[in-house]
Every structure is written in C-alpha cells, then in structure tokens.
Amino acid sequence: MTMIERVARAAFARAKERGRLAGYSGPPMTWDTESEALHEDWRSVARAAITAMRKPTDEMCRASGLADGTGHIGQSEEWKAAAVFRAMIDAALEE
C-alpha cells in the first residue's frame, strides 16, 4: 500500500468516526464499499497533506539524529536532514 493510500484511508476513517460522533445514522461506510471517485477524493486530500509536510521544521531536523551533543544542528547537517526528508516526501508523492 502506498503512503498516499495509507494517509487517504486514515483520513477517511477519521472522518467516518467524526460522522458517527455527530449523529450520522446512515448505512455503515467502509473504504471497500465506497466508490472509486470517493477514494480519489481522499487520495487528493492525502496528497495535499503530504505535500504540506514537505518542508521540515527545525525541530524535525534536530530530531534527525544529525544534531551534535548540545542539541544544536549545524547548517550543513540541517541542509542534509531537510534534503533527505524532502526526498522521502517526494518519493511518497510519486508512488
């Protein structure tokens, strides 16, 4: 399963749960019983969410393990961490 599909299914499941909490009483909704058009709508939401994550925060770069013992990360290490993260996000978007 691609990352886009994983995020789409998770977002769908969360929306389904919110609908139940809001009093939705229609037939049960499952990913497998919904239309391909609805799946593509959720994949679009997933792509947007993943794209929004493409630029890592400073905290994410520090958490990359490239920080020195003081918890600081040098510019070259920050660039490396950000470049790797962006490459991973780009790969997820190409799946």
Side-chain angles (χ1 to χ4, degrees):
M1 180 180 308
T2 68
M3 185 57 68
I4 290 170
E5 189 81 8
R6 288 168 64 185
V7 173
R9 287 175 180 248
F12 171 80
R14 180 64 180 130
K16 184 176 83 168
E17 180 63 26
R18 288 181 54 101
R20 276 205 311 263
L21 294 174
Y24 173 78
S25 60
M29 296 182 297
T30 67
W31 183 265
D32 294 332
T33 61
E34 294 299 326
S35 70
E36 183 58 31
L38 184 118
H39 292 175
E40 192 50 45
D41 285 345
W42 284 107
R43 287 185 197 108
S44 178
V45 168
R47 281 185 202 92
I50 294 168
T51 298
M53 294 172 39
R54 190 169 184 276
K55 182 178 180 200
T57 64
D58 292 341
E59 292 81 13
M60 292 167 71
C61 289
R62 280 193 293 275
S64 71
L66 295 174
D68 63 19
T70 66
H72 295 101
I73 187 167
Q75 280 189 324
S76 64
E77 288 81 10
E78 182 176 345
W79 180 87
K80 288 176 196 172
V84 168
F85 187 79
R86 283 191 304 271
M88 293 170 69
I89 294 297
D90 289 347
L93 290 169
E94 290 175 10
E95 292 181 336

